[in-house]
Amino acid sequence: MLSKVFCAIAAPVVLFAQLAHGGLVTPTAPFKGYTVFDVEWQLPIDPKNAASKSVTVTGTIQEAVAKMDAAYPGWNETFLSTISRNQPGTSLSDNPKRDHYVCNPDDGEKDALYRGIAEGITYLRRIGDGDVSPPQNNPHGCGRISCTNYSGIWWCNNNNFEKQVTWQEIGDSAYFLAYQCGIWNDITWLTAGEEFFKDKWSVYVTATAC
Ligand SMILES: *[C@@H]1O[C@H](CO)[C@@H](O)[C@H](O)[C@H]1NC(C)=O
Ligand SMILES: *[C@@H]1O[C@H](CO)[C@@H](O)[C@H](O)[C@H]1NC(C)=O
């Protein structure tokens, strides 16, 4: 237990040091042999209007939302007010598309804060509603979908071709991992894990500098 507490405190300290030295952190792929690509979001200008025109913004969902909010003041609030779902859209315990999953693949070295992951999941539930074009990933590419408080959601494509999935699948997978792999360290909930799907892509919940 002591070592978990230590890790939870130590990991953010290391990441803070990187931030202080480097300014903006350029993400590196979480796995060898993968390249990072910018996640693209085609977001509706008016989240309340299903027929709204969309604009394309890149980055994590937090960066994308910040860009939309800067261009269209109040956008974030409207967007969040149109979340229609607070439950996963698929059966998580028995997802037929799952190949396998691993909890704490980094032996606790890269535990994310549960709350940071939950924030990303909240956005993904809104985005899964249908007025945002689905996520595409390059061959052997990893995209960082959400990052807040040193806590990230990545998705990686292990195919030799471009892969398209749905935001709902990614959000549900992050939820499954966050829940299934949660650890209480006497201070807060931490979580880390990776879920692999039969059609060769994965979702990875991990500590990462934002
Ligand atoms: C959007 O609003 C939520 C809720 O008020 C807030 O927690 C979050 O930081 C906001 N995001 C951005 C990018 O402004
Ligand atoms: C980030 O983590 C700190 C420490 O656990 C917490 O106080 C804060 O509320 C977190 N912020 C978010 C957006 O989760």
Side-chain angles (χ1 to χ4, degrees), residues 105-136:
D106 312 295
D107 295 327
E109 296 277 311
K110 290 191 174 176
D111 289 343
L113 290 166
Y114 179 87
R115 282 178 56 175
I117 300 303
E119 182 190 291
I121 293 167
T122 299
Y123 281 117
L124 287 171
R125 287 200 172 142
R126 168 59 182 82
I127 284 168
D129 281 355
D131 57 355
V132 180
S133 65
Q136 294 274 130

PDB file of all heavy atoms in Angstrom, residues 105-136:
ATOM      1  N   PRO A 105      -0.651  -2.266 -16.527  1.00  0.00           N
ATOM      2  CA  PRO A 105       0.434  -2.845 -17.329  1.00  0.00           C
ATOM      3  C   PRO A 105       1.800  -2.273 -16.945  1.00  0.00           C
ATOM      4  O   PRO A 105       2.819  -2.859 -17.261  1.00  0.00           O
ATOM      5  CB  PRO A 105       0.069  -2.465 -18.769  1.00  0.00           C
ATOM      6  CG  PRO A 105      -0.866  -1.311 -18.652  1.00  0.00           C
ATOM      7  CD  PRO A 105      -1.587  -1.471 -17.351  1.00  0.00           C
ATOM      8  N   ASP A 106       1.817  -1.147 -16.254  1.00  0.00           N
ATOM      9  CA  ASP A 106       3.101  -0.523 -15.887  1.00  0.00           C
ATOM     10  C   ASP A 106       3.417  -0.715 -14.411  1.00  0.00           C
ATOM     11  O   ASP A 106       4.150   0.080 -13.826  1.00  0.00           O
ATOM     12  CB  ASP A 106       3.058   0.966 -16.228  1.00  0.00           C
ATOM     13  CG  ASP A 106       2.531   1.203 -17.619  1.00  0.00           C
ATOM     14  OD1 ASP A 106       3.198   0.788 -18.571  1.00  0.00           O
ATOM     15  OD2 ASP A 106       1.428   1.755 -17.757  1.00  0.00           O
ATOM     16  N   ASP A 107       2.846  -1.745 -13.807  1.00  0.00           N
ATOM     17  CA  ASP A 107       3.124  -2.061 -12.396  1.00  0.00           C
ATOM     18  C   ASP A 107       2.903  -0.876 -11.466  1.00  0.00           C
ATOM     19  O   ASP A 107       3.657  -0.671 -10.519  1.00  0.00           O
ATOM     20  CB  ASP A 107       4.568  -2.566 -12.231  1.00  0.00           C
ATOM     21  CG  ASP A 107       4.769  -3.881 -12.940  1.00  0.00           C
ATOM     22  OD1 ASP A 107       3.812  -4.669 -12.983  1.00  0.00           O
ATOM     23  OD2 ASP A 107       5.877  -4.110 -13.472  1.00  0.00           O
ATOM     24  N   GLY A 108       1.919  -0.074 -11.756  1.00  0.00           N
ATOM     25  CA  GLY A 108       1.606   1.041 -10.871  1.00  0.00           C
ATOM     26  C   GLY A 108       2.434   2.284 -11.127  1.00  0.00           C
ATOM     27  O   GLY A 108       2.205   3.324 -10.523  1.00  0.00           O
ATOM     28  N   GLU A 109       3.398   2.198 -12.046  1.00  0.00           N
ATOM     29  CA  GLU A 109       4.259   3.352 -12.337  1.00  0.00           C
ATOM     30  C   GLU A 109       3.480   4.455 -13.057  1.00  0.00           C
ATOM     31  O   GLU A 109       3.858   5.615 -13.001  1.00  0.00           O
ATOM     32  CB  GLU A 109       5.420   2.925 -13.246  1.00  0.00           C
ATOM     33  CG  GLU A 109       6.361   1.932 -12.627  1.00  0.00           C
ATOM     34  CD  GLU A 109       7.400   2.598 -11.748  1.00  0.00           C
ATOM     35  OE1 GLU A 109       8.021   3.558 -12.216  1.00  0.00           O
ATOM     36  OE2 GLU A 109       7.555   2.159 -10.599  1.00  0.00           O
ATOM     37  N   LYS A 110       2.463   4.058 -13.793  1.00  0.00           N
ATOM     38  CA  LYS A 110       1.758   5.040 -14.613  1.00  0.00           C
ATOM     39  C   LYS A 110       0.261   5.044 -14.339  1.00  0.00           C
ATOM     40  O   LYS A 110      -0.547   5.061 -15.255  1.00  0.00           O
ATOM     41  CB  LYS A 110       2.023   4.757 -16.097  1.00  0.00           C
ATOM     42  CG  LYS A 110       3.446   5.061 -16.508  1.00  0.00           C
ATOM     43  CD  LYS A 110       3.574   5.024 -17.994  1.00  0.00           C
ATOM     44  CE  LYS A 110       4.959   5.474 -18.431  1.00  0.00           C
ATOM     45  NZ  LYS A 110       5.092   5.343 -19.898  1.00  0.00           N
ATOM     46  N   ASP A 111      -0.080   5.006 -13.068  1.00  0.00           N
ATOM     47  CA  ASP A 111      -1.487   5.073 -12.721  1.00  0.00           C
ATOM     48  C   ASP A 111      -2.028   6.473 -12.990  1.00  0.00           C
ATOM     49  O   ASP A 111      -1.394   7.470 -12.646  1.00  0.00           O
ATOM     50  CB  ASP A 111      -1.685   4.748 -11.234  1.00  0.00           C
ATOM     51  CG  ASP A 111      -1.429   3.274 -10.931  1.00  0.00           C
ATOM     52  OD1 ASP A 111      -1.434   2.477 -11.887  1.00  0.00           O
ATOM     53  OD2 ASP A 111      -1.238   2.941  -9.756  1.00  0.00           O
ATOM     54  N   ALA A 112      -3.198   6.521 -13.584  1.00  0.00           N
ATOM     55  CA  ALA A 112      -3.866   7.796 -13.842  1.00  0.00           C
ATOM     56  C   ALA A 112      -4.829   8.093 -12.699  1.00  0.00           C
ATOM     57  O   ALA A 112      -5.233   7.192 -11.969  1.00  0.00           O
ATOM     58  CB  ALA A 112      -4.634   7.699 -15.157  1.00  0.00           C
ATOM     59  N   LEU A 113      -5.183   9.353 -12.556  1.00  0.00           N
ATOM     60  CA  LEU A 113      -6.221   9.704 -11.590  1.00  0.00           C
ATOM     61  C   LEU A 113      -7.584   9.375 -12.203  1.00  0.00           C
ATOM     62  O   LEU A 113      -7.886   9.802 -13.317  1.00  0.00           O
ATOM     63  CB  LEU A 113      -6.163  11.204 -11.269  1.00  0.00           C
ATOM     64  CG  LEU A 113      -4.955  11.662 -10.462  1.00  0.00           C
ATOM     65  CD1 LEU A 113      -4.831  13.179 -10.516  1.00  0.00           C
ATOM     66  CD2 LEU A 113      -5.079  11.186  -9.016  1.00  0.00           C
ATOM     67  N   TYR A 114      -8.372   8.627 -11.464  1.00  0.00           N
ATOM     68  CA  TYR A 114      -9.687   8.215 -11.960  1.00  0.00           C
ATOM     69  C   TYR A 114     -10.507   9.435 -12.415  1.00  0.00           C
ATOM     70  O   TYR A 114     -11.158   9.408 -13.448  1.00  0.00           O
ATOM     71  CB  TYR A 114     -10.417   7.439 -10.857  1.00  0.00           C
ATOM     72  CG  TYR A 114     -11.791   6.982 -11.258  1.00  0.00           C
ATOM     73  CD1 TYR A 114     -11.970   5.776 -11.908  1.00  0.00           C
ATOM     74  CD2 TYR A 114     -12.905   7.785 -11.015  1.00  0.00           C
ATOM     75  CE1 TYR A 114     -13.229   5.365 -12.297  1.00  0.00           C
ATOM     76  CE2 TYR A 114     -14.164   7.380 -11.407  1.00  0.00           C
ATOM     77  CZ  TYR A 114     -14.317   6.170 -12.040  1.00  0.00           C
ATOM     78  OH  TYR A 114     -15.556   5.779 -12.442  1.00  0.00           O
ATOM     79  N   ARG A 115     -10.440  10.518 -11.628  1.00  0.00           N
ATOM     80  CA  ARG A 115     -11.251  11.701 -11.964  1.00  0.00           C
ATOM     81  C   ARG A 115     -10.883  12.321 -13.302  1.00  0.00           C
ATOM     82  O   ARG A 115     -11.727  12.853 -14.005  1.00  0.00           O
ATOM     83  CB  ARG A 115     -11.115  12.757 -10.861  1.00  0.00           C
ATOM     84  CG  ARG A 115     -11.945  12.430  -9.647  1.00  0.00           C
ATOM     85  CD  ARG A 115     -11.756  13.457  -8.573  1.00  0.00           C
ATOM     86  NE  ARG A 115     -12.057  14.812  -9.041  1.00  0.00           N
ATOM     87  CZ  ARG A 115     -12.056  15.870  -8.247  1.00  0.00           C
ATOM     88  NH1 ARG A 115     -11.763  15.734  -6.976  1.00  0.00           N
ATOM     89  NH2 ARG A 115     -12.350  17.048  -8.732  1.00  0.00           N
ATOM     90  N   GLY A 116      -9.583  12.266 -13.608  1.00  0.00           N
ATOM     91  CA  GLY A 116      -9.137  12.807 -14.893  1.00  0.00           C
ATOM     92  C   GLY A 116      -9.665  11.971 -16.052  1.00  0.00           C
ATOM     93  O   GLY A 116     -10.053  12.496 -17.097  1.00  0.00           O
ATOM     94  N   ILE A 117      -9.672  10.656 -15.870  1.00  0.00           N
ATOM     95  CA  ILE A 117     -10.191   9.756 -16.910  1.00  0.00           C
ATOM     96  C   ILE A 117     -11.708   9.956 -17.042  1.00  0.00           C
ATOM     97  O   ILE A 117     -12.247  10.016 -18.151  1.00  0.00           O
ATOM     98  CB  ILE A 117      -9.869   8.283 -16.556  1.00  0.00           C
ATOM     99  CG1 ILE A 117      -8.349   8.072 -16.433  1.00  0.00           C
ATOM    100  CG2 ILE A 117     -10.472   7.337 -17.595  1.00  0.00           C
ATOM    101  CD1 ILE A 117      -7.537   8.452 -17.653  1.00  0.00           C
ATOM    102  N   ALA A 118     -12.365  10.124 -15.900  1.00  0.00           N
ATOM    103  CA  ALA A 118     -13.825  10.294 -15.927  1.00  0.00           C
ATOM    104  C   ALA A 118     -14.219  11.551 -16.705  1.00  0.00           C
ATOM    105  O   ALA A 118     -15.230  11.556 -17.406  1.00  0.00           O
ATOM    106  CB  ALA A 118     -14.364  10.353 -14.494  1.00  0.00           C
ATOM    107  N   GLU A 119     -13.403  12.595 -16.613  1.00  0.00           N
ATOM    108  CA  GLU A 119     -13.721  13.811 -17.378  1.00  0.00           C
ATOM    109  C   GLU A 119     -13.728  13.514 -18.881  1.00  0.00           C
ATOM    110  O   GLU A 119     -14.634  13.917 -19.609  1.00  0.00           O
ATOM    111  CB  GLU A 119     -12.701  14.916 -17.068  1.00  0.00           C
ATOM    112  CG  GLU A 119     -13.032  16.211 -17.796  1.00  0.00           C
ATOM    113  CD  GLU A 119     -11.919  17.241 -17.696  1.00  0.00           C
ATOM    114  OE1 GLU A 119     -11.693  17.761 -16.588  1.00  0.00           O
ATOM    115  OE2 GLU A 119     -11.286  17.534 -18.729  1.00  0.00           O
ATOM    116  N   GLY A 120     -12.715  12.789 -19.337  1.00  0.00           N
ATOM    117  CA  GLY A 120     -12.654  12.425 -20.753  1.00  0.00           C
ATOM    118  C   GLY A 120     -13.854  11.587 -21.163  1.00  0.00           C
ATOM    119  O   GLY A 120     -14.428  11.785 -22.241  1.00  0.00           O
ATOM    120  N   ILE A 121     -14.255  10.664 -20.298  1.00  0.00           N
ATOM    121  CA  ILE A 121     -15.385   9.783 -20.607  1.00  0.00           C
ATOM    122  C   ILE A 121     -16.672  10.605 -20.753  1.00  0.00           C
ATOM    123  O   ILE A 121     -17.481  10.364 -21.648  1.00  0.00           O
ATOM    124  CB  ILE A 121     -15.532   8.695 -19.522  1.00  0.00           C
ATOM    125  CG1 ILE A 121     -14.330   7.747 -19.573  1.00  0.00           C
ATOM    126  CG2 ILE A 121     -16.842   7.918 -19.684  1.00  0.00           C
ATOM    127  CD1 ILE A 121     -14.208   6.823 -18.368  1.00  0.00           C
ATOM    128  N   THR A 122     -16.829  11.603 -19.892  1.00  0.00           N
ATOM    129  CA  THR A 122     -18.021  12.461 -19.977  1.00  0.00           C
ATOM    130  C   THR A 122     -18.110  13.110 -21.356  1.00  0.00           C
ATOM    131  O   THR A 122     -19.163  13.085 -22.002  1.00  0.00           O
ATOM    132  CB  THR A 122     -17.955  13.559 -18.887  1.00  0.00           C
ATOM    133  OG1 THR A 122     -17.929  12.910 -17.630  1.00  0.00           O
ATOM    134  CG2 THR A 122     -19.152  14.488 -18.959  1.00  0.00           C
ATOM    135  N   TYR A 123     -17.006  13.669 -21.835  1.00  0.00           N
ATOM    136  CA  TYR A 123     -17.019  14.278 -23.175  1.00  0.00           C
ATOM    137  C   TYR A 123     -17.298  13.232 -24.240  1.00  0.00           C
ATOM    138  O   TYR A 123     -18.049  13.469 -25.179  1.00  0.00           O
ATOM    139  CB  TYR A 123     -15.676  14.949 -23.458  1.00  0.00           C
ATOM    140  CG  TYR A 123     -15.508  16.300 -22.818  1.00  0.00           C
ATOM    141  CD1 TYR A 123     -14.521  16.524 -21.873  1.00  0.00           C
ATOM    142  CD2 TYR A 123     -16.318  17.369 -23.178  1.00  0.00           C
ATOM    143  CE1 TYR A 123     -14.347  17.771 -21.291  1.00  0.00           C
ATOM    144  CE2 TYR A 123     -16.157  18.618 -22.605  1.00  0.00           C
ATOM    145  CZ  TYR A 123     -15.169  18.815 -21.664  1.00  0.00           C
ATOM    146  OH  TYR A 123     -15.002  20.050 -21.099  1.00  0.00           O
ATOM    147  N   LEU A 124     -16.675  12.066 -24.098  1.00  0.00           N
ATOM    148  CA  LEU A 124     -16.852  11.039 -25.131  1.00  0.00           C
ATOM    149  C   LEU A 124     -18.301  10.562 -25.203  1.00  0.00           C
ATOM    150  O   LEU A 124     -18.787  10.191 -26.263  1.00  0.00           O
ATOM    151  CB  LEU A 124     -15.913   9.857 -24.881  1.00  0.00           C
ATOM    152  CG  LEU A 124     -14.449  10.165 -25.188  1.00  0.00           C
ATOM    153  CD1 LEU A 124     -13.551   9.035 -24.726  1.00  0.00           C
ATOM    154  CD2 LEU A 124     -14.256  10.411 -26.678  1.00  0.00           C
ATOM    155  N   ARG A 125     -18.992  10.582 -24.088  1.00  0.00           N
ATOM    156  CA  ARG A 125     -20.403  10.169 -24.120  1.00  0.00           C
ATOM    157  C   ARG A 125     -21.220  11.169 -24.920  1.00  0.00           C
ATOM    158  O   ARG A 125     -22.127  10.795 -25.653  1.00  0.00           O
ATOM    159  CB  ARG A 125     -20.935  10.056 -22.705  1.00  0.00           C
ATOM    160  CG  ARG A 125     -20.357   8.821 -22.063  1.00  0.00           C
ATOM    161  CD  ARG A 125     -21.155   8.358 -20.883  1.00  0.00           C
ATOM    162  NE  ARG A 125     -20.618   7.073 -20.474  1.00  0.00           N
ATOM    163  CZ  ARG A 125     -20.484   6.689 -19.231  1.00  0.00           C
ATOM    164  NH1 ARG A 125     -20.884   7.477 -18.249  1.00  0.00           N
ATOM    165  NH2 ARG A 125     -19.996   5.515 -18.957  1.00  0.00           N
ATOM    166  N   ARG A 126     -20.892  12.449 -24.815  1.00  0.00           N
ATOM    167  CA  ARG A 126     -21.609  13.445 -25.609  1.00  0.00           C
ATOM    168  C   ARG A 126     -21.263  13.271 -27.088  1.00  0.00           C
ATOM    169  O   ARG A 126     -22.114  13.326 -27.971  1.00  0.00           O
ATOM    170  CB  ARG A 126     -21.248  14.863 -25.137  1.00  0.00           C
ATOM    171  CG  ARG A 126     -21.725  15.976 -26.079  1.00  0.00           C
ATOM    172  CD  ARG A 126     -23.242  15.947 -26.264  1.00  0.00           C
ATOM    173  NE  ARG A 126     -23.707  16.978 -27.186  1.00  0.00           N
ATOM    174  CZ  ARG A 126     -23.691  16.883 -28.505  1.00  0.00           C
ATOM    175  NH1 ARG A 126     -23.217  15.795 -29.085  1.00  0.00           N
ATOM    176  NH2 ARG A 126     -24.147  17.864 -29.255  1.00  0.00           N
ATOM    177  N   ILE A 127     -19.981  13.030 -27.326  1.00  0.00           N
ATOM    178  CA  ILE A 127     -19.508  12.957 -28.705  1.00  0.00           C
ATOM    179  C   ILE A 127     -20.002  11.706 -29.397  1.00  0.00           C
ATOM    180  O   ILE A 127     -20.200  11.678 -30.600  1.00  0.00           O
ATOM    181  CB  ILE A 127     -17.968  13.076 -28.707  1.00  0.00           C
ATOM    182  CG1 ILE A 127     -17.654  14.545 -28.475  1.00  0.00           C
ATOM    183  CG2 ILE A 127     -17.343  12.573 -29.968  1.00  0.00           C
ATOM    184  CD1 ILE A 127     -16.243  14.808 -28.165  1.00  0.00           C
ATOM    185  N   GLY A 128     -20.266  10.674 -28.630  1.00  0.00           N
ATOM    186  CA  GLY A 128     -20.815   9.455 -29.209  1.00  0.00           C
ATOM    187  C   GLY A 128     -22.239   9.618 -29.715  1.00  0.00           C
ATOM    188  O   GLY A 128     -22.805   8.687 -30.264  1.00  0.00           O
ATOM    189  N   ASP A 129     -22.825  10.795 -29.538  1.00  0.00           N
ATOM    190  CA  ASP A 129     -24.237  10.955 -29.873  1.00  0.00           C
ATOM    191  C   ASP A 129     -24.543  11.068 -31.357  1.00  0.00           C
ATOM    192  O   ASP A 129     -25.706  11.057 -31.738  1.00  0.00           O
ATOM    193  CB  ASP A 129     -24.817  12.173 -29.139  1.00  0.00           C
ATOM    194  CG  ASP A 129     -25.129  11.844 -27.685  1.00  0.00           C
ATOM    195  OD1 ASP A 129     -24.979  10.673 -27.307  1.00  0.00           O
ATOM    196  OD2 ASP A 129     -25.515  12.749 -26.949  1.00  0.00           O
ATOM    197  N   GLY A 130     -23.531  11.247 -32.189  1.00  0.00           N
ATOM    198  CA  GLY A 130     -23.828  11.137 -33.611  1.00  0.00           C
ATOM    199  C   GLY A 130     -23.574  12.360 -34.470  1.00  0.00           C
ATOM    200  O   GLY A 130     -23.489  12.242 -35.678  1.00  0.00           O
ATOM    201  N   ASP A 131     -23.434  13.561 -33.878  1.00  0.00           N
ATOM    202  CA  ASP A 131     -23.208  14.726 -34.735  1.00  0.00           C
ATOM    203  C   ASP A 131     -21.730  15.075 -34.881  1.00  0.00           C
ATOM    204  O   ASP A 131     -21.372  16.129 -35.368  1.00  0.00           O
ATOM    205  CB  ASP A 131     -24.014  15.942 -34.232  1.00  0.00           C
ATOM    206  CG  ASP A 131     -23.686  16.298 -32.781  1.00  0.00           C
ATOM    207  OD1 ASP A 131     -22.916  15.558 -32.142  1.00  0.00           O
ATOM    208  OD2 ASP A 131     -24.201  17.317 -32.302  1.00  0.00           O
ATOM    209  N   VAL A 132     -20.850  14.154 -34.459  1.00  0.00           N
ATOM    210  CA  VAL A 132     -19.409  14.356 -34.595  1.00  0.00           C
ATOM    211  C   VAL A 132     -18.873  13.182 -35.421  1.00  0.00           C
ATOM    212  O   VAL A 132     -19.199  12.028 -35.136  1.00  0.00           O
ATOM    213  CB  VAL A 132     -18.730  14.366 -33.205  1.00  0.00           C
ATOM    214  CG1 VAL A 132     -17.232  14.584 -33.340  1.00  0.00           C
ATOM    215  CG2 VAL A 132     -19.348  15.429 -32.306  1.00  0.00           C
ATOM    216  N   SER A 133     -18.060  13.475 -36.460  1.00  0.00           N
ATOM    217  CA  SER A 133     -17.603  12.382 -37.320  1.00  0.00           C
ATOM    218  C   SER A 133     -16.706  11.418 -36.528  1.00  0.00           C
ATOM    219  O   SER A 133     -16.020  11.823 -35.601  1.00  0.00           O
ATOM    220  CB  SER A 133     -16.864  12.941 -38.527  1.00  0.00           C
ATOM    221  OG  SER A 133     -15.699  13.579 -38.097  1.00  0.00           O
ATOM    222  N   PRO A 134     -16.706  10.137 -36.891  1.00  0.00           N
ATOM    223  CA  PRO A 134     -16.027   9.124 -36.070  1.00  0.00           C
ATOM    224  C   PRO A 134     -14.500   9.221 -36.124  1.00  0.00           C
ATOM    225  O   PRO A 134     -13.939   9.799 -37.051  1.00  0.00           O
ATOM    226  CB  PRO A 134     -16.502   7.809 -36.671  1.00  0.00           C
ATOM    227  CG  PRO A 134     -16.953   8.133 -38.038  1.00  0.00           C
ATOM    228  CD  PRO A 134     -17.415   9.547 -38.028  1.00  0.00           C
ATOM    229  N   PRO A 135     -13.828   8.641 -35.126  1.00  0.00           N
ATOM    230  CA  PRO A 135     -12.362   8.708 -35.065  1.00  0.00           C
ATOM    231  C   PRO A 135     -11.682   7.789 -36.076  1.00  0.00           C
ATOM    232  O   PRO A 135     -12.082   6.647 -36.255  1.00  0.00           O
ATOM    233  CB  PRO A 135     -12.058   8.246 -33.632  1.00  0.00           C
ATOM    234  CG  PRO A 135     -13.248   7.455 -33.204  1.00  0.00           C
ATOM    235  CD  PRO A 135     -14.424   7.956 -33.968  1.00  0.00           C
ATOM    236  N   GLN A 136     -10.640   8.322 -36.725  1.00  0.00           N
ATOM    237  CA  GLN A 136      -9.807   7.595 -37.700  1.00  0.00           C
ATOM    238  C   GLN A 136      -8.420   7.483 -37.107  1.00  0.00           C
ATOM    239  O   GLN A 136      -7.965   8.430 -36.470  1.00  0.00           O
ATOM    240  CB  GLN A 136      -9.607   8.424 -38.959  1.00  0.00           C
ATOM    241  CG  GLN A 136     -10.789   8.711 -39.802  1.00  0.00           C
ATOM    242  CD  GLN A 136     -11.077   7.620 -40.788  1.00  0.00           C
ATOM    243  OE1 GLN A 136     -12.197   7.199 -40.839  1.00  0.00           O
ATOM    244  NE2 GLN A 136     -10.099   7.144 -41.537  1.00  0.00           N
TER     245      GLN A 136
END
